[in-house]
């Protein structure tokens, strides 16, 4: 085993170390053959935790992810288990089996070196960046709803036998350090308060104070957090934001599931919707048109509609798990009750998703980990104007006593928040 450190804590990359490491791994070097000596290696990651290297020769290329024993955002000062990459490798392989068109191939995972070698997705770009420039993705909602329905249904008790499900739950329950980040950054710090928080000051001070001192919001977020901690509906991606998606107008890949854990289905769906909404709120500051904004709302609506239809199709055709006996369908006394059960289940997922979407909007604007589409706006008053609209939207959604039972309620509230 070669000792491997492609990047030191000061951010200086070491391509030669990576080249030597690949050369010493037959399954990796076989991809490149003798061209490995002339392979171009560049660090292309822009995430908070890891480094991504693009290794390419004229004949082959791959993405190599390295997880150091600290987080990138901390520049080496905050320790973080490199085991996170093992959970990512395992989740990627599982999700690839369930949604092959939307998950990259894993070539190799080396736990000792903390290296994950994957298919290099090209010419796709990070969805967050594309949306920021007003690019449209007409098939995205179809793709992501397929990914979500396939992965969530097929890792749930509707598809898995209890013994298999419990083993998977136990396996991913060990992803404790990354879950702790979510528990703290998503559900706690932004709402309870933390020195790590940051927001556009003083413009947003009052809005932040209103959210953090609202007992209805605080208790709703506690309930959502409790559901995240205790429910094991399905294996979640765990960090499904628009920076975890690579897309062209006709292909979509979901990457980066290092936060994978069992949890409520609405968490992944809500994270996705929340991040699309962040793109919606900030688009005018990037010169986006009303039509482009409306397109993001349509994407959210068709994402949910596609998910519920595809989930229902799995429910009809692929129920092989421990939950919900097939005999229920042939019992005359239960006619209609089975549909009511599914509809009730999906209604709960949507209501959860609405809550998690609102939580995500808040924490990305006032917590520690912001999103680049807002941070890129240098004019603070302009940025704060759109942040305030997004915060008001999320605040109203979290306060609402009315259950969200149609996706149109969320998009209508987003539209209304921009005209209030
Ligand atoms: C310290 S990591 C901050 C955030 O980046 C990741 O993408 C997750 O969203 C996490 O909350
Ligand atoms: Mg990530």
């Amino acid at each position: 085993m070669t000792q491997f450190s492609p990047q030191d804590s000061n951010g200086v990359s070491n391509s030669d170390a990576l080249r030597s490491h690949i050369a010493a791994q037959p399954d990796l070097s076989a991809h490149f053959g003798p061209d490995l000596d002339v392979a171009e290696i560049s660090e292309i990651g822009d995430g908070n935790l890891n480094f991504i290297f693009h290794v390419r020769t004229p004949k082959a290329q791959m993405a190599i992810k390295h997880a150091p024993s600290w987080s990138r955002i901390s520049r080496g000062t905050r320790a973080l288990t490199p085991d996170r990459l093992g959970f990512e490798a395992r989740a990627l392989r599982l999700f690839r089996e369930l949604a092959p068109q939307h998950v990259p191939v894993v070539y190799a995972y080396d736990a000792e070196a903390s290296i994950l070698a994957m298919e290099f997705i090209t010419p796709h770009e990070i969805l967050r960046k594309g949306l920021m420039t007003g690019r449209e993705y007409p098939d995205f909602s179809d793709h992501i709803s397929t990914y979500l329905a396939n992965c969530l249904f097929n890792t749930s008790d509707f598809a898995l036998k209890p013994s298999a499900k419990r083993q998977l739950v136990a396996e991913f329950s060990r992803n404790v350090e990354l879950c702790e980040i979510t528990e703290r950054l998503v559900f706690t710090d932004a709402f309870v308060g933390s020195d790590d928080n940051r927001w556009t000051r003083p413009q947003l001070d009052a809005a932040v104070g209103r959210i953090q001192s609202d007992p209805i919001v605080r208790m709703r977020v506690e309930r959502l957090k409790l559901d995240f901690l205790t429910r094991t509906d399905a294996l979640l991606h765990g960090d499904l934001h628009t920076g975890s998606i690579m897309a062209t107008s006709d292909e979509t890949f979901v990457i980066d599931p290092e936060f994978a854990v069992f949890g409520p289905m609405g968490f992944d769906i809500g994270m996705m919707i929340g991040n699309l909404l962040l793109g919606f709120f900030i688009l005018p500051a990037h010169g986006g048109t009303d039509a482009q904004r409306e397109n993001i709302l349509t994407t959210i609506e068709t994402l949910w509609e596609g998910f519920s239809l595809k989930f229902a199709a799995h429910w009809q055709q692929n129920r092989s798990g421990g939950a919900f006996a097939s005999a229920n369908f042939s019992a005359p006394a239960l006619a209609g009750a089975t549909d009511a059960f599914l509809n009730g289940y999906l209604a709960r997922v949507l209501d959860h998703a609405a809550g998690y979407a609102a939580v995500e909007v808040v924490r990305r604007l006032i917590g520690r980990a912001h999103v680049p589409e807002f941070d890129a706006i240098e004019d603070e008053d302009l940025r704060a104007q759109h942040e305030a609209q997004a915060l008001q939207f999320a605040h109203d959604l979290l306060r609402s006593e009315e259950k969200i039972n149609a996706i149109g309620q969320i998009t209508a509230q987003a539209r209304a928040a921009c005209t209030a």
Side-chain angles (χ1 to χ4, degrees), residues 38 59 77 183-184 190 235 238-239 288 419:
V38 295
K59 285 194 216 118
T77 61
E183 288 143 19
R184 182 165 40 87
L235 180 60
D239 195 26
T419 51

Side-chain angles (χ1 to χ4, degrees), residues 364-385:
R364 292 293 191 183
L365 297 176
I366 72 176
R368 179 176 191 214
H370 285 217
V371 289
E373 56 267 53
F374 279 86
D375 282 0
I377 303 300
E378 285 175 11
D379 178 334
E380 294 193 349
D381 287 330
L382 177 66
R383 187 172 75 229
Q385 179 196 328

Side-chain angles (χ1 to χ4, degrees), residues 47-49 71-74 78 80 128 178 181-182 184-186 238-241 244 256 258-259 271 360 363-364 368-370:
N48 291 326
L49 303 183
S71 65
R72 182 174 191 159
I73 195 175
S74 77
R78 195 172 280 198
L80 190 63
R128 193 186 289 294
L178 268 66
I181 292 178
T182 299
R184 182 165 40 87
L185 292 195
V186 176
D239 195 26
L240 192 57
H241 54 75
S244 299
D256 244 9
E258 65 202 316
F259 286 76
M271 287 275 136
E360 176 70 355
R363 76 101 176 191
R364 292 293 191 183
R368 179 176 191 214
H370 285 217

Side-chain angles (χ1 to χ4, degrees), residues 117-351:
M118 292 169 283
E119 178 183 7
F120 185 76
I121 308 290
T122 183
H124 308 63
E125 77 176 328
I126 293 290
L127 181 64
R128 193 186 289 294
K129 293 184 183 160
L131 288 174
M132 203 154 67
T133 61
R135 191 155 300 143
E136 297 190 358
Y137 297 90
D139 295 330
F140 171 70
S141 56
D142 180 34
H143 295 162
I144 197 69
S145 59
T146 297
Y147 166 88
L148 285 164
N150 289 11
C151 295
L152 296 177
F153 183 89
N154 287 303
T155 57
S156 77
D157 287 287
F158 297 126
L160 295 177
K161 300 278 185 254
S163 54
K165 164 92 185 316
R166 288 186 196 287
Q167 277 169 22
L168 268 184
V169 170
E171 186 183 336
F172 281 94
S173 294
R174 292 196 293 272
N175 197 6
V176 288
E177 281 195 34
L178 268 66
C179 287
E180 191 277 331
I181 292 178
T182 299
E183 288 143 19
R184 182 165 40 87
L185 292 195
V186 176
F187 294 109
T188 306
D189 285 2
F191 295 91
V192 176
S194 161
D195 289 344
D196 286 341
N197 288 347
R198 61 189 173 91
W199 58 81
T200 308
R201 291 171 182 268
Q203 293 90 329
L204 296 182
D205 287 354
V208 172
R210 281 194 297 274
I211 289 173
Q212 292 182 338
S213 62
D214 186 333
I216 296 176
V217 168
R218 293 285 294 271
M219 295 304 105
R220 176 87 193 274
V221 175
E222 291 295 355
R223 283 198 298 279
L224 289 162
K225 182 178 185 183
L226 189 61
D227 281 329
F228 177 78
L229 289 167
T230 56
R231 292 185 72 117
T232 59
D233 292 356
L235 180 60
L236 308 179
H237 177 284
D239 195 26
L240 192 57
H241 54 75
T242 43
S244 299
I245 308 261
M246 298 193 69
T248 58
S249 57
D250 49 18
E251 278 194 324
T252 302
F253 284 89
V254 178
I255 59 172
D256 244 9
E258 65 202 316
F259 286 76
V261 71
F262 276 78
M265 295 192 188
F267 185 82
D268 271 0
I269 300 169
M271 287 275 136
M272 191 74 259
I273 291 175
N275 279 274
L276 289 167
L277 286 168
L278 286 163
F280 163 83
F281 281 108
I282 198 61
L283 197 55
H286 292 285
T289 63
D290 288 350
Q292 287 166 335
R293 283 186 108 184
E294 202 46 44
N295 198 44
I296 296 181
L297 298 184
T298 304
T299 298
I300 292 170
E301 290 163 1
T302 50
L303 180 166
W304 172 256
E305 286 154 10
F307 170 79
S308 39
L309 284 173
K310 290 165 192 174
F311 193 91
H314 281 303
W315 156 267
Q316 294 296 340
Q317 294 151 24
N318 303 325
R319 262 178 310 95
S320 50
F324 213 81
S326 291
N328 293 338
F329 285 94
S330 48
L334 298 180
T338 56
D339 282 352
F341 181 98
L342 174 64
N343 292 338
Y345 188 88
L346 286 172
R348 266 196 306 281
V349 173
L350 178 60
D351 192 57

